[in-house]
Amino acid sequence: MFHKVLIANRGEIALRVIRACKELGIRTVAVHSDVDKDALHAKLADESICIGRAPSSESYLNMKAIISAAEVTDAEAIHPGYGFLSENAEFAEICQNCGLTFIGPTPENIRVMGDKIAGRQSVIKVGVPILPGTKDNVTSVEEAQKIAEKIGIPVIIKAPAGGGGKGMKVVHSPASLPNQFAMARAEANASFGNPDVYIEKYCENPRHVEVQILGDKFGNVIHLGERDCSIQRRHQKLIEEAPCPVLPEKVRKKLCDCAVAAAKAIGYRSAGTIEFLLDKNFDFYFMEMNTRVQVEHPVTEMITGVDIVKEQIRVAAGLPLRYKQRDIKIHGHAIECRINAEDPVKFTPCPGKIDGYHPPGGLGVRIDSAVYDQYTVLPNYDSLIAKLIVHADTRDEAIKRMARALDEYIIGGIKTTIEFHQKIMNNADFIEGDVDTSFLERIKL
Ligand code: MV4
């Protein structure tokens, strides 16, 4: 096992990793930007080093500064958390070349799944269902029209480097195709420096269901069940739960088996997530793989009892997975609300100083957060300030527990999305489990 790990991240995920390291007996090195010297991750780690100025490009994305920090502190491994450098194949490779272990998948794993077309191609081979679409980039309108005719409108045009909805255009009528095609290419070019796009059948109002995977370097791959992350706004997830409240047992088994097959197809090792679209008929389709630990991993930890970050560190150190598939049992139901320093109606960032802080407690309540009373939420970074996670025997009890915990939660001095979440916990459709990815556009709060 590693003696010392550097955490190349900030906020709640940096704390989450520091906590896992402490329990594994590993010393920790935090890196921080100049404006983050009062941040909890810098205080809670055994050592901390300033790596640059406030803009992420000069600090948390500054590969040279991070590698240097690892070298001067004698860290053996780097945990990238999520965001920042977590899905950067070049960074994973540089770590390797510098004799540092990147706590994540191989550079090749990241590369394959970072290219959505390559990702699709590698999972088709092992029988994972995907939506009909192109095997390659589509470069001319004529070609795009032929494909749209063949697979049938509606279709969706996507950038292979995409994810997060960038460069994505839905085509609802043949007449709108040329325009949407040109816009998708222009957006892809602006976002990724590459105008390439591909085309898929569009699945209307799907649920977003994803499966947590763990793989080790001995070829063992297991799943920890699924999460439902359908409640999103502009491709930002707001509420996640596990298990998916509507999945028939047979479909669940097939979905989770497909996720394991997809991960095995690319020799995946580390924690990862296979994302699927689930339609009204409970048909599911592979969408993409996230090759990192995700924001919403705690809901899976609550229902399985598996510490995903510890397991991720152990397999990176070359140890085998501590669990076989038969060891994994699902207990009860968990829900996570992402609490952002944002206007709860407009969802615009509202950074500032927290004045008065009282987190909720009690049975089945977990908070993953890096804020404290009188802490100043900075405008330079993501507005996620806390994840409130609850666990209970049933979904109904979990919803009531979440409503209760949200009522207890006091974060003074700044606007937060707590009141938005209170409204969702009281929404009849949410309580019924009747949600899809268009839920927030459809309901009146
Ligand atoms: C889709 C889709 C429907 N059909 N692909 C959104 C982000 C990007 N990773 C892929 N996305 C979608 N791909 C097909 N063929 C609908 C979406 C989508 C979506 C997916 C999950 C959660 C929320 C979403 C919101 C809008 C669109």
Side-chain angles (χ1 to χ4, degrees), residues 116 120 131-132 155-156 158 162-166 168 170 198-209 229-237 275-277 285 287-288 436-438 441:
K116 309 304 166 208
R120 269 166 71 86
L131 284 153
V155 297
I156 184 166
K158 294 183 176 181
K166 271 196 202 140
M168 228 174 69
V170 181
Y198 66 104
I199 299 177
E200 261 178 30
K201 178 82 187 168
Y202 181 61
C203 175
E204 299 204 61
N205 301 340
R207 295 177 84 108
H208 171 126
V209 181
C229 312
S230 298
I231 302 197
Q232 316 205 353
R233 190 178 176 280
R234 298 201 197 131
H235 306 292
Q236 279 285 104
K237 294 170 186 164
E275 296 188 341
F276 295 95
L277 296 172
Y285 306 94
M287 186 161 54
E288 55 195 68
D436 59 50
T437 50
S438 63
E441 289 152 41

Side-chain angles (χ1 to χ4, degrees), residues 207-213 224-230 237 239-245 247 252 255-256 271-276 278 290 292-304 308 333-334 336 338:
R207 295 177 84 108
H208 171 126
V209 181
E210 58 184 34
V211 179
Q212 177 70 52
I213 290 294
L224 302 183
E226 83 287 358
R227 299 185 279 262
D228 190 318
C229 312
S230 298
K237 294 170 186 164
I239 299 172
E240 303 97 346
E241 60 183 297
C244 170
L247 215 51
R252 167 171 296 128
L255 179 87
C256 292
T273 300
I274 315 276
E275 296 188 341
F276 295 95
L278 177 72
N290 296 314
R292 59 169 190 277
V293 69
Q294 284 189 285
V295 176
E296 61 271 27
H297 76 277
V299 291
T300 300
E301 295 186 323
M302 302 309 276
I303 62 161
T304 59
I308 292 168
H333 201 92
E336 171 177 283
R338 296 190 188 189

Side-chain angles (χ1 to χ4, degrees), residues 24 34 110 129 162 169 184 245 256 271 296 325 342 351 362 417 435-436 441:
L24 288 168
D34 57 0
I110 300 175
K169 294 286 166 212
C256 292
E296 61 271 27
Q325 191 63 57
E342 286 175 359
T417 50
V435 298
D436 59 50
E441 289 152 41

Side-chain angles (χ1 to χ4, degrees), residues 13-302:
I13 193 62
L15 288 200
R16 174 71 191 82
V17 176
I18 291 169
R19 287 172 174 147
C21 288
K22 287 195 173 177
E23 291 181 18
L24 288 168
I26 301 169
R27 291 183 60 80
T28 50
V29 181
V31 292
H32 65 85
S33 65
D34 57 0
V35 292
D36 259 348
K37 63 178 190 310
D38 295 325
L40 266 192
H41 75 284
K43 295 185 188 294
L44 248 61
D46 297 305
E47 295 169 67
S48 75
I49 293 196
C50 182
I51 49 162
R53 288 157 53 85
S56 302
S57 58
E58 296 179 33
S59 47
Y60 299 103
L61 290 170
N62 183 343
M63 300 192 218
K64 276 188 191 155
I66 292 167
I67 299 281
S68 302
E71 283 178 347
V72 302
T73 55
D74 269 324
E76 300 158 78
I78 298 184
H79 196 301
Y82 52 66
F84 296 128
L85 296 168
S86 61
E87 292 180 284
N88 186 315
E90 188 196 346
F91 181 66
E93 213 157 61
I94 290 171
C95 287
Q96 254 175 21
N97 294 340
C98 294
L100 295 159
T101 303
F102 177 79
I103 303 179
T106 64
E108 191 49 27
N109 289 162
I110 300 175
R111 265 195 199 104
V112 172
M113 288 303 176
D115 176 346
K116 309 304 166 208
I117 297 184
R120 269 166 71 86
Q121 290 312 114
S122 45
V123 307
I124 300 177
K125 292 188 194 124
V126 292
V128 175
I130 58 164
L131 284 153
T134 56
K135 280 204 258 318
D136 251 313
N137 299 316
V138 181
T139 49
S140 74
V141 183
E142 294 74 34
E143 207 187 329
Q145 280 165 328
K146 265 193 210 137
I147 290 150
E149 234 167 82
K150 190 170 147 225
I151 64 184
I153 297 261
V155 297
I156 184 166
I157 310 173
K158 294 183 176 181
K166 271 196 202 140
M168 228 174 69
K169 294 286 166 212
V170 181
V171 178
H172 289 289
S173 77
S176 69
L177 190 141
N179 203 11
Q180 295 292 75
F181 182 72
M183 298 233 296
R185 280 174 65 87
E187 248 179 63
N189 199 33
S191 303
F192 312 109
N194 182 342
D196 286 350
V197 294
Y198 66 104
I199 299 177
E200 261 178 30
K201 178 82 187 168
Y202 181 61
C203 175
E204 299 204 61
N205 301 340
R207 295 177 84 108
H208 171 126
V209 181
E210 58 184 34
V211 179
Q212 177 70 52
I213 290 294
L214 287 172
D216 64 21
K217 73 168 189 189
F218 305 99
N220 302 304
V221 178
I222 63 166
H223 70 78
L224 302 183
E226 83 287 358
R227 299 185 279 262
D228 190 318
C229 312
S230 298
I231 302 197
Q232 316 205 353
R233 190 178 176 280
R234 298 201 197 131
H235 306 292
Q236 279 285 104
K237 294 170 186 164
L238 298 173
I239 299 172
E240 303 97 346
E241 60 183 297
C244 170
V246 297
L247 215 51
E249 205 43 52
K250 265 188 158 162
V251 181
R252 167 171 296 128
K253 169 125 187 26
K254 238 173 62 187
L255 179 87
C256 292
D257 289 347
C258 277
V260 169
K264 280 189 173 162
I266 63 159
Y268 193 78
R269 47 189 186 100
S270 188
T273 300
I274 315 276
E275 296 188 341
F276 295 95
L277 296 172
L278 177 72
D279 72 14
K280 308 260 155 338
N281 307 320
F282 298 117
D283 286 321
F284 60 83
Y285 306 94
F286 171 83
M287 186 161 54
E288 55 195 68
M289 179 171 195
N290 296 314
T291 55
R292 59 169 190 277
V293 69
Q294 284 189 285
V295 176
E296 61 271 27
H297 76 277
V299 291
T300 300
E301 295 186 323
M302 302 309 276

